[in-house]
């Protein structure tokens, strides 16, 4: 009854199912693993960020380059602020309020400059009234400590890579964006100070790239469901085809055949007449007799 399973057609169906189902389960498990990894990284990042706020700051050179492990750690650097190249980073939200960052470059003893986000101000970076509230950075030699952050990219939250910003403004905090604005080298990192002066509000450190529960993390969770659904669909279609073939084989074994379509010839090769096969033969017999 199930000899149809040995036909070439069913060999192909069976091989496809045996390959597709484990593949879908593997891909679903892999996507689920990526989501769980992001969740674990997010928890570790939150724990490390909480610890870093009270940890002793380490020299900047000991924490570079910035990785997921060093991002958010307290780093310190010594030098003097470049007051001639202070920059504003517009369109940055804090607590659901519009505002801008105040970024000042610290010329370190090593020669390179470290971008320091001294704080956040509400308002518009193009408004003279709002920018007049920016406090002057400390003069002379200073030691600055803050949460170490990786350079931003065009896809970073709040970053504006469209260009066309007025002089004195910066859309993306990165060494690549600053290299054309200042006449010296810049570290491929930046820090945000935990304490702000004047009207400034401290900018909280951001999670390291690919560690937070962002849209990509929930995309992994969605892909997990899709792959498991694909596996279930393959199983469903296999059983549906199998049941249909089994029913057809059982009907043939019982001598049950599908209904003949209209216009099919009789066993003797003559088509049915309009009034049925008997009337058609009778009509032809009378015509022959005449």
């Amino acid at each position: 009854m199930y000899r149809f399973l040995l036909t070439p057609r069913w060999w192909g169906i069976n091989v496809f199912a045996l390959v597709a189902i484990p593949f879908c389960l593997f891909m679903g498990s892999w996507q689920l693993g990526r989501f769980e990894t992001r969740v674990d990284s997010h928890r570790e990042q939150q724990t490390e960020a909480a610890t870093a706020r009270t940890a002793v700051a380490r020299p900047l050179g000991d924490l570079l380059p910035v990785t997921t492990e060093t991002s958010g750690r307290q780093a310190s650097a010594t030098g003097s602020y470049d007051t001639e190249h202070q920059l504003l980073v517009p369109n940055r939200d804090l607590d659901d309020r519009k505002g801008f960052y105040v970024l000042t470059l610290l010329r370190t003893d090593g020669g390179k400059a470290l971008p320091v986000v001294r704080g956040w101000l509400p308002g518009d970076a193009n408004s003279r009234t709002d920018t007049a509230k920016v406090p002057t950075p400390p003069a002379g030699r200073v030691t600055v400590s803050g949460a170490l952050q990786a350079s931003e990219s065009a896809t970073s939250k709040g970053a504006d890579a469209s260009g066309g910003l007025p002089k004195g403004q910066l859309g993306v905090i990165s060494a690549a964006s600053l290299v054309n604005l200042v006449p010296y080298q810049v570290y491929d990192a930046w820090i945000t100070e935990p304490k702000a002066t004047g009207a400034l509000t401290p900018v909280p450190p951001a999670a390291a790239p690919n560690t937070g529960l962002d849209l990509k993390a929930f995309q992994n969770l969605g892909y997990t469901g899709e792959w498991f659904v694909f596996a279930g669909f393959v199983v469903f279609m296999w059983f549906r085809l199998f049941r249909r073939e089994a029913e057809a084989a059982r009907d043939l074994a019982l001598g049950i055949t599908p209904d003949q379509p209209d216009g099919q010839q009789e066993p003797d090769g003559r088509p049915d007449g309009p009034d049925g096969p008997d009337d058609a033969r009778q009509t032809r017999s009378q015509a022959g007799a005449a």
Side-chain angles (χ1 to χ4, degrees):
M1 180 175 177
Y2 300 128
R3 289 184 177 180
F4 61 85
L5 292 173
L6 301 177
T7 60
R9 174 172 173 267
W10 270 93
W11 269 105
I13 293 174
N14 292 333
V15 169
F16 173 78
L18 290 175
V19 172
I21 294 173
F23 177 77
C24 292
L25 294 177
F26 168 78
M27 292 300 296
S29 301
W30 180 66
Q31 291 288 352
L32 181 60
R34 293 193 64 184
F35 174 74
E36 292 176 345
T37 300
R38 289 179 180 273
V39 172
D40 293 339
S41 298
H42 177 66
R43 290 175 179 171
E44 292 176 1
Q45 185 71 20
Q46 287 184 322
T47 302
E48 292 178 358
T51 305
R53 294 188 184 98
T54 58
V56 177
R58 296 174 57 185
L60 177 64
D62 296 346
L63 300 176
L64 295 178
V66 184
T67 63
T68 55
E69 288 77 19
T70 60
S71 178
R73 299 285 183 88
Q74 291 293 313
S76 64
T78 302
S80 57
Y81 280 117
D82 181 5
T83 57
E84 295 182 1
H85 294 93
Q86 183 163 264
L87 299 168
L88 304 180
V89 187
N91 303 321
R92 297 301 177 107
D93 297 343
L94 185 63
D95 297 332
D96 297 327
R97 294 186 298 166
K98 296 292 184 180
F100 54 91
Y101 293 168
V102 178
L103 184 147
T104 311
L105 293 161
L106 180 73
R107 300 290 303 272
T108 65
D109 296 339
K112 286 187 176 181
L114 174 65
V116 178
V117 173
R118 297 169 50 221
W120 173 90
L121 274 175
D124 187 356
N126 297 314
S127 172
R128 291 185 178 182
T129 303
D130 295 332
T131 57
K133 301 176 184 178
V134 176
T136 304
R141 186 179 175 83
V142 295
T143 298
V144 181
S145 300
L148 185 64
Q149 301 282 270
S151 289
E152 294 182 337
S153 64
T155 58
S156 298
K157 183 179 180 180
D160 183 5
S162 60
L165 293 175
K167 185 179 179 180
Q169 294 187 18
L170 181 70
V172 180
I173 306 175
S174 68
S177 300
L178 289 163
V179 69
N180 296 323
L181 300 178
V182 294
Y184 40 77
Q185 292 183 330
V186 180
Y187 282 108
D188 191 19
W190 57 284
I191 65 172
T192 172
E193 288 191 290
K195 297 180 180 180
T197 58
L200 294 175
T201 301
V203 175
N210 299 322
T211 60
L213 294 181
D214 52 7
L215 180 60
K216 290 184 179 180
F218 291 101
Q219 283 180 341
N220 293 137
L221 187 61
Y223 294 152
T224 299
E226 288 182 359
W227 282 113
F228 288 151
V229 168
F230 292 158
F233 180 74
V234 173
V235 174
F236 167 76
M237 289 303 299
W238 188 92
F239 275 106
R240 183 176 182 182
L241 292 174
F242 173 81
R243 186 178 65 179
R244 188 175 66 180
E245 293 280 355
E247 291 176 352
R250 183 177 64 250
D251 291 344
L252 288 175
L254 296 175
I256 302 174
T257 59
D259 294 336
Q260 293 180 348
D262 294 340
Q264 185 174 356
Q265 292 184 338
E266 289 185 309
D268 59 358
R270 293 192 300 270
D272 296 345
D275 298 326
D278 294 338
D279 293 342
R281 285 195 292 270
Q282 183 177 2
T283 302
R284 287 194 293 272
S285 298
Q286 292 175 356

